[in-house]
Coordinates of all heavy atoms in Angstrom, one line a residue:
M6 N 5.8 176.9 -85.6 CA 4.5 177.6 -85.2 C 3.4 176.9 -85.8 O 2.3 176.5 -85.1 CB 4.5 179.1 -85.5 CG 3.2 179.8 -85.2 SD 2.8 179.9 -83.4 CE 2.2 181.4 -83.3
I7 N 3.4 176.7 -87.1 CA 2.2 176.1 -87.9 C 2.2 174.6 -87.5 O 1.1 174.2 -87.2 CB 2.6 176.1 -89.4 CG1 2.4 177.4 -89.9 CG2 1.5 175.2 -90.1 CD1 2.8 177.7 -91.3
V8 N 3.3 173.9 -87.2 CA 3.2 172.5 -86.7 C 2.6 172.5 -85.4 O 1.7 171.7 -85.1 CB 4.6 171.9 -86.8 CG1 4.5 170.5 -86.0 CG2 5.2 171.7 -88.1
H9 N 2.9 173.4 -84.5 CA 2.3 173.5 -83.2 C 0.9 173.6 -83.2 O 0.1 173.0 -82.4 CB 3.0 174.7 -82.4 CG 2.5 174.9 -81.0 ND1 2.8 174.0 -80.1 CD2 1.6 175.8 -80.4 CE1 2.3 174.3 -78.9 NE2 1.6 175.5 -79.2
L10 N 0.4 174.6 -84.1 CA -1.0 174.9 -84.3 C -1.8 173.6 -84.8 O -2.9 173.3 -84.4 CB -1.3 176.1 -85.1 CG -0.8 177.4 -84.5 CD1 -0.9 178.5 -85.6 CD2 -1.7 177.8 -83.4
Q11 N -1.1 172.9 -85.7 CA -1.7 171.8 -86.4 C -1.9 170.6 -85.2 O -2.9 170.1 -85.1 CB -0.9 171.2 -87.4 CG -0.9 172.0 -88.7 CD 0.0 171.4 -89.7 OE1 1.0 170.7 -89.5 NE2 -0.2 171.6 -91.0
E12 N -1.0 170.5 -84.4 CA -0.9 169.4 -83.4 C -2.0 169.8 -82.4 O -2.7 168.9 -81.8 CB 0.4 169.4 -82.7 CG 1.6 168.8 -83.5 CD 2.8 168.9 -82.9 OE1 3.0 169.6 -81.9 OE2 3.8 168.2 -83.6
R13 N -2.3 171.0 -82.1 CA -3.3 171.4 -81.2 C -4.6 171.5 -81.8 O -5.6 171.8 -81.3 CB -3.0 172.7 -80.6 CG -1.7 172.6 -79.6 CD -1.4 173.9 -79.0 NE -0.4 173.7 -77.9 CZ -0.8 173.6 -76.6 NH1 -1.9 173.8 -76.3 NH2 0.1 173.3 -75.7
G14 N -4.8 171.2 -83.1 CA -6.0 171.3 -83.8 C -6.5 172.6 -84.0 O -7.8 172.9 -84.2
R15 N -5.6 173.6 -84.0 CA -6.1 175.0 -84.1 C -6.3 175.4 -85.6 O -6.8 176.5 -85.8 CB -5.1 176.0 -83.3 CG -5.0 175.6 -81.9 CD -6.3 175.8 -81.2 NE -6.6 177.3 -81.1 CZ -6.3 178.1 -80.1 NH1 -5.4 177.7 -79.1 NH2 -6.7 179.4 -80.1
I16 N -5.6 174.8 -86.5 CA -5.7 175.0 -87.9 C -6.0 173.9 -88.6 O -5.6 172.7 -88.2 CB -4.4 175.8 -88.4 CG1 -3.2 175.0 -88.3 CG2 -4.2 177.2 -87.9 CD1 -2.0 175.4 -89.0
D17 N -6.5 174.0 -89.9 CA -6.9 173.0 -90.8 C -5.6 172.4 -91.3 O -4.7 173.2 -91.9 CB -7.7 173.4 -91.9 CG -8.2 172.3 -92.9 OD1 -7.8 171.2 -92.6 OD2 -9.0 172.6 -93.7
V18 N -5.3 171.1 -91.2 CA -4.1 170.5 -91.8 C -4.2 170.1 -93.2 O -3.2 169.7 -93.8 CB -3.6 169.3 -91.0 CG1 -3.3 169.7 -89.5 CG2 -4.6 168.3 -91.1
A19 N -5.2 170.4 -93.9 CA -5.5 169.9 -95.2 C -5.0 170.8 -96.3 O -4.7 170.2 -97.5 CB -7.0 169.8 -95.5
R20 N -4.5 172.0 -96.0 CA -4.1 173.0 -97.1 C -2.8 173.6 -96.8 O -2.6 174.8 -97.0 CB -5.2 173.8 -97.5 CG -6.4 173.1 -98.0 CD -7.5 174.2 -98.2 NE -7.3 175.0 -99.4 CZ -7.5 174.8 -100.5 NH1 -8.0 173.7 -101.0 NH2 -7.4 175.8 -101.5
V21 N -1.9 172.9 -96.1 CA -0.7 173.5 -95.6 C 0.5 172.9 -96.4 O 0.4 171.8 -96.9 CB -0.5 173.4 -94.2 CG1 -1.4 174.2 -93.4 CG2 -0.4 171.9 -93.8
C22 N 1.6 173.6 -96.4 CA 2.8 173.0 -97.2 C 3.3 171.7 -96.7 O 3.5 170.9 -97.5 CB 4.0 174.1 -97.0 SG 3.6 175.6 -98.0
F23 N 3.2 171.4 -95.5 CA 3.8 170.2 -95.0 C 3.1 168.9 -95.5 O 3.8 167.9 -95.5 CB 3.7 170.2 -93.4 CG 4.5 171.2 -92.7 CD1 3.8 172.2 -92.0 CD2 5.8 171.2 -92.9 CE1 4.5 173.2 -91.4 CE2 6.5 172.2 -92.2 CZ 5.9 173.3 -91.5
N24 N 1.9 169.0 -95.9 CA 1.3 167.8 -96.5 C 0.9 167.9 -97.9 O -0.1 167.4 -98.5 CB 0.1 167.3 -95.7 CG -1.0 168.3 -95.6 OD1 -1.0 169.3 -96.3 ND2 -2.0 168.0 -94.8
C25 N 1.6 168.9 -98.7 CA 1.3 169.2 -100.1 C 2.3 168.4 -101.0 O 3.5 168.4 -100.6 CB 1.5 170.7 -100.2 SG 1.2 171.2 -102.1
V26 N 1.9 167.9 -102.1 CA 2.7 167.2 -102.9 C 3.8 168.1 -103.7 O 4.8 167.6 -104.1 CB 2.0 166.3 -104.1 CG1 1.1 165.3 -103.5 CG2 1.2 167.5 -104.9
H27 N 3.5 169.4 -103.6 CA 4.5 170.3 -104.2 C 5.6 170.8 -103.3 O 6.5 171.4 -103.6 CB 3.8 171.5 -104.8 CG 2.6 171.1 -105.7 ND1 2.9 170.6 -106.9 CD2 1.3 171.4 -105.6 CE1 1.7 170.5 -107.5 NE2 0.8 171.0 -106.8
F28 N 5.5 170.4 -102.1 CA 6.5 170.9 -101.0 C 7.8 170.1 -101.0 O 7.7 168.8 -100.9 CB 5.8 170.8 -99.6 CG 6.7 171.4 -98.5 CD1 7.1 172.5 -98.6 CD2 6.8 170.7 -97.3 CE1 8.0 173.2 -97.5 CE2 7.5 171.2 -96.2 CZ 8.1 172.4 -96.4
R29 N 8.9 170.7 -101.1 CA 10.2 170.1 -101.1 C 11.0 170.8 -99.9 O 11.5 171.9 -100.0 CB 11.0 170.3 -102.3 CG 10.2 169.9 -103.7 CD 10.1 168.5 -103.8 NE 9.4 168.1 -105.1 CZ 8.1 168.0 -105.4 NH1 7.4 168.2 -104.3 NH2 7.8 167.6 -106.5
P30 N 11.0 170.2 -98.6 CA 11.6 170.8 -97.5 C 13.1 170.7 -97.6 O 13.7 169.7 -97.9 CB 10.9 170.0 -96.4 CG 10.6 168.7 -96.9 CD 10.3 169.0 -98.5
N31 N 13.7 171.9 -97.3 CA 15.2 171.9 -97.0 C 16.1 171.2 -98.2 O 16.9 170.5 -98.0 CB 15.5 171.0 -95.7 CG 14.8 171.7 -94.4 OD1 14.9 172.9 -94.3 ND2 14.1 170.8 -93.7
V32 N 15.7 171.8 -99.4 CA 16.4 171.3 -100.5 C 17.4 172.4 -101.1 O 18.3 172.1 -101.9 CB 15.5 171.0 -101.6 CG1 14.7 169.7 -101.3 CG2 14.7 172.1 -102.0
H33 N 17.4 173.6 -100.5 CA 18.3 174.7 -100.8 C 19.3 175.1 -99.7 O 18.9 174.9 -98.6 CB 17.5 176.0 -101.2 CG 16.6 175.8 -102.5 ND1 17.0 175.5 -103.7 CD2 15.1 175.7 -102.4 CE1 16.0 175.4 -104.5 NE2 14.9 175.5 -103.7
L34 N 20.4 175.5 -100.1 CA 21.4 175.9 -99.1 C 21.1 177.2 -98.5 O 21.7 177.5 -97.4 CB 22.8 175.8 -99.7 CG 23.2 174.4 -100.2 CD1 24.7 174.7 -100.9 CD2 23.4 173.5 -99.1
N35 N 20.4 178.0 -99.0 CA 20.0 179.3 -98.5 C 19.2 179.2 -97.3 O 18.1 178.8 -97.3 CB 19.3 180.1 -99.6 CG 18.9 181.5 -99.2 OD1 19.0 181.9 -98.0 ND2 18.3 182.3 -100.1
V36 N 19.8 179.6 -96.1 CA 19.1 179.4 -94.9 C 17.9 180.3 -94.8 O 17.0 180.0 -94.0 CB 20.0 179.7 -93.8 CG1 21.1 178.7 -93.6 CG2 20.6 181.1 -93.7
A37 N 17.8 181.3 -95.5 CA 16.6 182.2 -95.5 C 15.4 181.7 -96.3 O 14.3 182.0 -96.1 CB 16.9 183.6 -96.0
A38 N 15.8 180.7 -97.3 CA 14.8 180.1 -98.1 C 15.2 178.8 -98.5 O 15.4 178.4 -99.6 CB 14.6 181.0 -99.4
P39 N 15.1 177.8 -97.5 CA 15.7 176.4 -97.8 C 14.6 175.5 -98.5 O 15.0 174.6 -99.0 CB 16.0 175.9 -96.3 CG 14.8 176.7 -95.5 CD 14.8 178.0 -96.2
H40 N 13.3 175.9 -98.5 CA 12.3 175.0 -99.0 C 12.0 175.4 -100.4 O 12.3 176.4 -100.9 CB 11.0 175.1 -98.2 CG 11.2 175.0 -96.7 ND1 11.9 174.0 -96.1 CD2 10.9 175.9 -95.6 CE1 11.9 174.2 -94.9 NE2 11.4 175.4 -94.6
H41 N 11.3 174.5 -101.1 CA 10.9 174.8 -102.6 C 9.5 174.4 -102.7 O 9.1 173.3 -102.4 CB 11.8 174.0 -103.5 CG 11.8 174.5 -104.8 ND1 12.6 175.4 -105.4 CD2 11.0 174.0 -105.9 CE1 12.4 175.6 -106.8 NE2 11.4 174.7 -107.1
C42 N 8.8 175.3 -103.5 CA 7.4 175.0 -104.0 C 7.5 174.6 -105.4 O 7.9 175.4 -106.2 CB 6.5 176.1 -103.8 SG 4.9 175.8 -104.5
A43 N 7.2 173.3 -105.8 CA 7.3 172.8 -107.2 C 6.3 173.4 -108.0 O 6.3 173.4 -109.2 CB 7.3 171.2 -107.1
F44 N 5.2 173.8 -107.3 CA 4.1 174.3 -108.1 C 4.4 175.7 -108.9 O 4.0 175.9 -109.9 CB 2.8 174.5 -107.2 CG 1.5 175.0 -107.9 CD1 0.7 174.0 -108.6 CD2 1.2 176.3 -108.0 CE1 -0.3 174.5 -109.4 CE2 0.1 176.7 -108.7 CZ -0.7 175.8 -109.4
V45 N 5.0 176.5 -108.0 CA 5.4 177.9 -108.6 C 6.8 177.8 -108.9 O 7.4 178.8 -109.4 CB 5.1 179.0 -107.6 CG1 3.6 179.2 -107.6 CG2 5.8 178.8 -106.3
D46 N 7.6 176.8 -108.6 CA 9.0 176.5 -108.9 C 9.9 177.7 -108.3 O 10.6 178.4 -109.0 CB 9.1 176.4 -110.4 CG 10.7 176.0 -110.7 OD1 11.2 175.3 -109.9 OD2 11.0 176.2 -111.9
R47 N 9.7 177.8 -106.9 CA 10.3 178.9 -106.3 C 10.7 178.5 -104.9 O 10.0 177.8 -104.2 CB 9.6 180.1 -106.1 CG 9.4 180.9 -107.4 CD 8.8 182.2 -107.1 NE 8.5 183.0 -108.4 CZ 7.9 184.1 -108.5 NH1 7.4 184.6 -107.5 NH2 7.8 184.6 -109.8
P48 N 12.0 178.9 -104.4 CA 12.4 178.7 -103.1 C 11.7 179.6 -102.2 O 11.1 180.7 -102.5 CB 13.9 179.0 -103.0 CG 14.1 180.0 -104.1 CD 13.0 179.7 -105.2
F49 N 11.5 179.2 -100.8 CA 10.9 180.1 -99.8 C 11.3 179.6 -98.4 O 11.9 178.4 -98.4 CB 9.3 180.0 -99.9 CG 8.6 178.8 -99.7 CD1 8.1 178.4 -98.4 CD2 8.6 177.8 -100.6 CE1 7.4 177.3 -98.3 CE2 7.9 176.5 -100.4 CZ 7.4 176.3 -99.3
G50 N 11.2 180.5 -97.5 CA 11.5 180.3 -96.1 C 10.3 179.9 -95.2 O 9.2 179.9 -95.6
D51 N 10.7 179.7 -94.0 CA 9.7 179.3 -92.9 C 8.6 180.3 -92.7 O 7.5 180.0 -92.6 CB 10.4 179.1 -91.6 CG 11.2 177.8 -91.6 OD1 11.1 176.9 -92.5 OD2 12.0 177.7 -90.6
R52 N 9.1 181.5 -92.9 CA 8.1 182.7 -92.8 C 6.9 182.6 -93.9 O 6.0 183.3 -93.7 CB 8.7 184.0 -92.6 CG 9.6 184.1 -91.4 CD 10.4 185.3 -91.3 NE 9.5 186.5 -91.2 CZ 9.3 187.1 -90.0 NH1 10.0 186.6 -88.9 NH2 8.6 188.1 -89.9
A53 N 7.3 182.0 -95.0 CA 6.4 182.0 -96.2 C 5.6 180.7 -96.2 O 4.8 180.5 -97.2 CB 7.1 182.3 -97.4
L54 N 5.7 179.8 -95.3 CA 4.9 178.6 -95.3 C 3.5 178.9 -95.4 O 3.1 179.8 -94.6 CB 5.3 177.7 -94.1 CG 6.7 177.0 -94.1 CD1 6.9 176.5 -92.7 CD2 6.6 175.9 -95.1
Q55 N 2.8 178.3 -96.2 CA 1.3 178.7 -96.4 C 0.2 177.9 -95.7 O 0.6 176.7 -95.3 CB 1.0 178.4 -98.0 CG 1.8 179.2 -98.8 CD 1.5 180.7 -98.7 OE1 0.3 181.1 -98.8 NE2 2.5 181.4 -98.4
V56 N -0.6 178.5 -95.2 CA -1.8 178.0 -94.5 C -3.1 178.2 -95.5 O -3.3 179.4 -95.8 CB -2.0 178.6 -93.1 CG1 -3.3 177.9 -92.4 CG2 -0.8 178.1 -92.2
N57 N -3.9 177.3 -95.7 CA -5.0 177.3 -96.7 C -4.6 177.8 -98.0 O -5.2 178.8 -98.6 CB -6.0 178.3 -96.0 CG -7.4 178.1 -96.5 OD1 -7.7 177.1 -97.0 ND2 -8.3 179.1 -96.4
C58 N -3.6 177.3 -98.5 CA -3.0 177.6 -99.9 C -4.0 177.3 -101.0 O -4.5 176.0 -101.0 CB -1.7 177.0 -100.1 SG -1.0 177.3 -101.8
P59 N -4.3 178.1 -101.9 CA -5.3 177.7 -103.0 C -4.7 176.8 -103.9 O -5.4 176.1 -104.7 CB -5.6 179.0 -103.6 CG -4.4 179.9 -103.3 CD -3.9 179.6 -101.9
D60 N -3.4 176.6 -104.0 CA -2.7 175.7 -104.9 C -2.4 174.4 -104.3 O -1.7 173.5 -104.9 CB -1.4 176.4 -105.5 CG -1.7 177.8 -106.2 OD1 -2.7 177.7 -106.9 OD2 -1.0 178.7 -105.9
H61 N -2.6 174.2 -103.1 CA -2.3 173.0 -102.3 C -2.9 171.8 -103.0 O -4.1 171.8 -103.5 CB -2.9 173.1 -100.9 CG -2.7 171.9 -100.0 ND1 -3.3 170.8 -100.2 CD2 -1.7 171.6 -99.1 CE1 -2.9 169.7 -99.3 NE2 -1.8 170.4 -98.7
Q62 N -2.1 170.6 -103.0 CA -2.6 169.5 -103.6 C -2.2 168.3 -102.8 O -0.9 168.1 -102.5 CB -2.1 169.4 -105.0 CG -2.7 168.0 -105.7 CD -2.3 167.9 -107.2 OE1 -1.5 168.9 -107.7 NE2 -2.4 166.9 -107.8
T63 N -3.0 167.5 -102.3 CA -2.7 166.3 -101.5 C -2.3 165.2 -102.4 O -2.5 165.2 -103.7 CB -3.8 165.8 -100.6 OG1 -5.1 165.6 -101.5 CG2 -4.2 166.8 -99.6
G64 N -1.7 164.1 -101.9 CA -1.2 163.1 -102.7 C -2.3 162.3 -103.1 O -3.4 162.2 -102.5
A65 N -2.2 161.4 -104.3 CA -3.2 160.6 -104.7 C -3.4 159.4 -103.7 O -2.5 158.9 -103.2 CB -2.9 160.1 -106.1
S66 N -4.6 159.0 -103.6 CA -4.9 157.8 -102.6 C -4.7 156.6 -103.3 O -4.9 156.5 -104.6 CB -6.4 157.9 -102.2 OG -6.7 159.1 -101.6
P67 N -4.1 155.6 -102.7 CA -3.7 154.3 -103.4 C -4.9 153.6 -103.7 O -6.1 153.7 -103.3 CB -3.1 153.5 -102.3 CG -3.2 154.3 -101.0 CD -3.7 155.6 -101.3
Ligands
SF4_127 S1 1.5 174.8 -103.6 FE1 0.9 176.0 -101.8 S2 0.8 174.5 -100.1 FE2 1.9 173.4 -101.8 S3 4.0 173.8 -101.4 FE3 3.4 175.4 -102.8 S4 2.9 177.1 -101.5 FE4 2.9 175.2 -100.2

């Protein structure tokens, strides 16, 4: 859903999990919470993917 909204330009892509340096997608075997946020050091599922997260951090520019 979030990816779909991003692709259509309906939400800001700057502060979502998908482009955050702390996002570790599909690293856990738990299907309910397969992703990991390295910032808070916790697993989470698709329903908890963040939009406009205050802890979001983009990668450093080269
Ligand atoms: S810091 Fe926020 S945007 Fe980044 S992975 Fe964690 S929950 Fe997602």
Side-chain angles (χ1 to χ4, degrees):
M6 176 64 139
I7 292 172
V8 171
H9 180 73
L10 291 171
Q11 286 178 333
E12 289 173 349
R13 291 178 168 259
R15 302 294 293 269
I16 60 174
D17 184 357
V18 297
R20 298 171 67 85
V21 296
C22 291
F23 295 113
N24 62 5
C25 176
V26 296
H27 304 299
F28 185 51
R29 308 288 186 270
N31 300 308
V32 295
H33 298 291
L34 295 177
N35 183 350
V36 295
H40 315 305
H41 194 87
C42 173
F44 184 81
V45 295
D46 195 24
R47 289 193 179 171
F49 64 100
D51 289 344
R52 296 175 68 96
L54 285 166
Q55 297 294 302
V56 175
N57 202 24
C58 175
D60 302 318
H61 180 279
Q62 185 177 349
T63 54
S66 300

